Amino acid sequence: MPLLSSLCGLLLFTMTTGCERDASKQATLRVALPGQPTTFDPNKAYDAISGQVLTQLHEGLTRHDKNLTIQPALAKSWKFNESYTEITFELKPGLEWSDGEPIVASDFEYSWKRLLDPGTRAEYAYFLYDIEGAEAYNSEKGTRENVGVKALDDHTLHVKLNRPAPYFPHIASFMVTYPVREDLIKLHGDRWTDPDKVAVSGPFKPVEYLQDYRMVLEPNPHYTLGEVRMKRVELYQIAEKSTALNLFVAGRMDLVLDMLPLAIPQMKSQPDYYNGPKLEVRYVGYRIDKPPMDNVAVRKALAMAIDRSELPSVLKGGEIGTRTWLPPGMFGHAEEVGLAHDPDKARALLAEAGYPEGKGFPEILLLYRAGDDWRLIAENLQQQWKRELGITIRIEVREQKVFFQEIDGESPPPMHLARWVADFPDPENFMGLFKSNSGNNSLGIKSSDFDRRVDQAVQTDDRGQRETLYDEAQRVLLEEEVAMAPLYVNAQNHLRNPDLGGLEFNAMGDLFLGPVYWKSEEASR
């Protein structure tokens, strides 16, 4: 079905049919993911799409509810010492992997130390640097034995921290901290995540995976943290949002994540449409150690030439233009931080850098990942820079896995479009991304001034002092180093069959399908 005709009939279709399901698909849920997962190994995961899949297969010690309140998951409880430098987790009794083996505290100890093992090459290893000895081990300056995480018995995990970290229960909810099985990894190597080999701790287990097409899940028979209502979940990998929209309109998809911007105006009043806030900032990342981006005047010119008010009108999904890094709704958000739109100043800076009216400026590359929204952003920025600075920026698209390989490779592009979605609702999660020791730092920035302020901010209980330190750190990042240019705070725009019950989204965009059910089936019981 062509996109134009599907859009013209979209409003009428949804009002008259509600995207009815085929009767043969009872107890089956079909989900359109906005791209391909990069891995099914929790310790090696780094992207949001992998996280959306892993959350169906695995559980952590904790999880967030719809209000971002931390809740027990595999842990029954946890307790800090008075200084918040030690935390002890108690596991719930009777936990089992999908193959019937018991889930024990040593599974967490193994997983966390595997995450930190330099041989794992995990981008999120820095996530556990609050643990005593973790950074030293990950940077090959310390030993595995000196990492401060230890299973005291089958149900008790004790963690020693190298600084106060009252937010640590949030960290224990994130995908890279999920437990994994040492015996299966030793037996199968990198193939341990194959559907016929893996054991999982979450509500569903994988039974089929076809790359670039779909993954099929069925209930984990040993899951005890809640009833799993869907008998089958099909996760389709669809980067092109127009394709996902067409499938939804045709009644062949039940849930579409990150819908096509062009369709949002027609869908806003329909029961199929969900819009909500999201702790996600999209930005232009500069590779500040590569010419011409190694000239701070160039980076400032590019940032100040961007009129962020144009982006929400292009995307149509309730986005909010921003020049600052910490999003609204998060402690430390400061609207006045960052470089404001000032095209006259931008042109003067570009001339100062040796490119008056854009003359002589090389045709550099802006790389972006596949997806209609990413394309619209890239095209708009390309037009703005041409209009305001007289320069030509080449834009190119890559599939998600290739995109990450290139921006983290030996010859990264001068600029790329990226996003950061909160892993836990604390500014440390956003600010720590660009510290010198962060495995997710793809910008080449290594600023001791920035690092020092971010580290000091988590070591004080004084909210005013912490806020001041975050303001100062953001000014280093955005106004002095200008390592990146924030663009907008994203919103959640999804399509879901209104017959779905138990489906909730929080502001981090977590997707948890364990409690989801069909309301019509519930009524017929």
Side-chain angles (χ1 to χ4, degrees):
M1 180 188 300
L3 176 60
L4 180 60
S5 61
S6 72
L7 285 174
C8 291
L10 183 60
L11 188 59
L12 178 61
F13 184 91
T14 54
M15 290 177 64
T16 57
T17 71
C19 292
E20 294 178 359
R21 295 175 296 123
D22 187 326
S24 65
K25 292 293 185 180
Q26 298 295 307
T28 294
L29 175 65
R30 300 160 299 177
V31 181
L33 299 174
Q36 180 183 346
T38 58
T39 182
F40 301 114
D41 186 330
N43 294 151
K44 297 181 180 181
Y46 56 86
D47 64 290
I49 297 176
S50 294
Q52 289 167 335
V53 176
L54 289 169
T55 303
Q56 318 317 318
L57 305 179
H58 298 273
E59 286 276 8
L61 289 167
T62 60
R63 79 163 75 115
H64 292 97
D65 65 14
K66 64 180 181 180
N67 299 314
L68 298 184
T69 303
I70 200 69
Q71 301 288 341
L74 294 179
K76 178 177 67 175
S77 62
W78 54 88
K79 184 177 181 179
F80 279 103
N81 64 354
E82 290 186 2
S83 62
Y84 288 93
T85 56
E86 295 185 28
I87 184 171
T88 302
F89 293 93
E90 293 291 334
L91 270 62
K92 291 177 178 175
L95 297 172
E96 293 181 349
W97 294 94
S98 56
D99 62 358
E101 290 294 314
I103 298 173
V104 292
S106 59
D107 293 326
F108 285 93
E109 179 180 352
Y110 170 74
S111 175
W112 293 11
K113 289 181 176 179
R114 178 175 179 258
L115 174 67
L116 292 165
D117 189 327
T120 304
R121 301 177 64 84
E123 292 195 20
Y124 264 106
Y126 76 95
F127 215 63
L128 293 184
Y129 279 6
D130 285 327
I131 296 177
E132 187 177 275
E135 183 174 6
Y137 176 46
N138 184 242
S139 59
E140 301 184 84
K141 297 177 182 177
T143 65
R144 184 185 187 94
E145 291 71 25
N146 288 332
V147 175
V149 54
K150 184 174 180 58
L152 302 183
D153 55 45
D154 282 353
H155 297 93
T156 311
L157 185 72
H158 182 68
V159 183
K160 291 183 178 180
L161 305 170
N162 56 35
R163 64 182 185 182
Y167 51 80
F168 197 83
H170 293 280
I171 286 180
S173 73
F174 191 51
M175 60 184 176
V176 298
T177 69
Y178 294 160
V180 296
R181 284 271 293 276
E182 181 177 11
D183 59 329
L184 296 180
I185 292 171
K186 287 183 175 180
L187 180 63
H188 301 298
D190 291 340
R191 301 296 301 274
W192 78 273
T193 60
D194 289 358
D196 62 337
K197 300 176 177 64
V198 71
V200 297
S201 56
F204 297 98
K205 64 177 184 178
V207 295
E208 174 188 289
Y209 176 62
L210 299 174
Q211 187 171 347
D212 297 322
Y213 178 44
R214 77 175 182 185
M215 171 177 271
V216 177
L217 314 178
E218 292 180 355
N220 172 2
H222 296 275
Y223 185 70
T224 59
L225 302 189
E227 182 183 3
V228 180
R229 313 280 279 277
M230 291 293 175
K231 302 305 181 187
R232 179 181 171 96
V233 174
E234 299 171 357
L235 303 174
Y236 292 86
Q237 304 154 44
I238 308 174
E240 293 302 320
K241 291 177 172 54
S242 55
T243 301
L245 173 66
N246 284 334
L247 290 169
F248 184 84
V249 169
R252 295 169 57 192
M253 207 62 59
D254 305 307
L255 175 61
V256 173
L257 302 176
D258 300 332
M259 65 178 291
L260 180 71
L262 184 61
I264 290 174
Q266 287 100 326
M267 290 298 296
K268 279 188 174 180
S269 62
Q270 298 306 304
D272 309 86
Y273 174 67
Y274 171 83
N275 173 266
K278 192 172 187 182
L279 293 177
E280 174 187 334
V281 177
R282 297 202 178 186
Y283 63 95
V284 178
Y286 303 130
R287 190 69 200 199
I288 70 172
D289 53 354
K290 303 291 183 183
M293 310 312 294
D294 55 353
N295 187 328
V296 69
V298 169
R299 302 196 298 271
K300 284 184 177 180
L302 289 165
M304 297 179 80
I306 300 171
D307 182 355
R308 294 161 176 84
S309 68
E310 292 187 15
L311 299 172
S313 62
V314 170
L315 296 168
K316 308 179 189 303
E319 300 81 8
I320 303 170
T322 185
R323 71 193 205 199
T324 193
W325 180 226
L326 294 178
M330 180 171 283
F331 174 75
H333 171 68
E335 292 184 4
E336 74 281 0
V337 171
L339 297 175
H341 177 226
D342 189 338
D344 291 334
K345 180 64 173 175
R347 286 187 283 270
L349 284 164
L350 197 63
E352 176 187 317
Y355 308 105
E357 299 179 346
K359 294 176 181 176
F361 192 80
E363 186 180 283
I364 61 174
L365 172 65
L366 172 68
L367 196 69
Y368 67 97
R369 71 189 79 178
D372 302 270
D373 49 345
W374 293 107
R375 175 183 56 79
L376 289 169
I377 302 165
E379 291 174 350
N380 180 268
L381 292 175
Q382 183 186 49
Q383 294 165 7
Q384 289 202 49
W385 285 326
K386 181 67 173 179
R387 181 180 71 230
E388 302 295 355
L389 300 177
I391 62 176
T392 299
I393 301 296
R394 190 171 81 257
I395 60 174
E396 292 183 7
V397 61
R398 299 287 188 274
E399 291 299 324
Q400 176 161 277
K401 184 176 290 189
V402 177
F403 171 84
F404 283 115
Q405 289 171 347
E406 290 197 24
I407 67 171
D408 293 324
E410 295 183 0
S411 300
M415 294 191 294
H416 64 270
L417 285 178
R419 67 177 177 181
W420 188 252
V421 184
D423 301 319
F424 58 94
D426 187 277
E428 166 66 13
N429 181 232
F430 273 73
M431 303 303 286
L433 176 67
F434 297 124
K435 286 177 57 179
S436 301
N437 60 5
S438 168
N440 278 322
N441 183 349
S442 299
L443 308 182
I445 178 177
K446 295 186 182 297
S447 169
S448 58
D449 287 343
F450 178 80
D451 295 348
R452 175 172 51 81
R453 288 172 170 86
V454 173
D455 287 338
Q456 288 175 343
V458 297
Q459 297 180 43
T460 178
D461 292 329
D462 186 321
R463 286 178 64 86
Q465 183 181 0
R466 194 179 186 210
E467 192 168 31
T468 296
L469 287 165
Y470 282 135
D471 284 353
E472 292 175 353
Q474 286 194 90
R475 293 191 189 280
V476 172
L477 177 69
L478 304 175
E479 299 176 14
E480 297 175 19
E481 296 286 345
V482 199
M484 45 90 79
L487 298 173
Y488 63 91
V489 180
N490 205 10
Q492 297 186 74
N493 292 279
H494 309 315
L495 292 173
R496 78 275 189 268
N497 192 305
D499 191 33
L500 284 174
L503 180 64
E504 295 180 342
F505 299 101
N506 62 30
M508 295 196 305
D510 292 339
L511 178 68
F512 187 61
L513 300 176
V516 174
Y517 62 95
W518 291 110
K519 289 183 281 189
S520 57
E521 290 183 18
E522 184 73 11
S524 65
R525 283 188 175 186

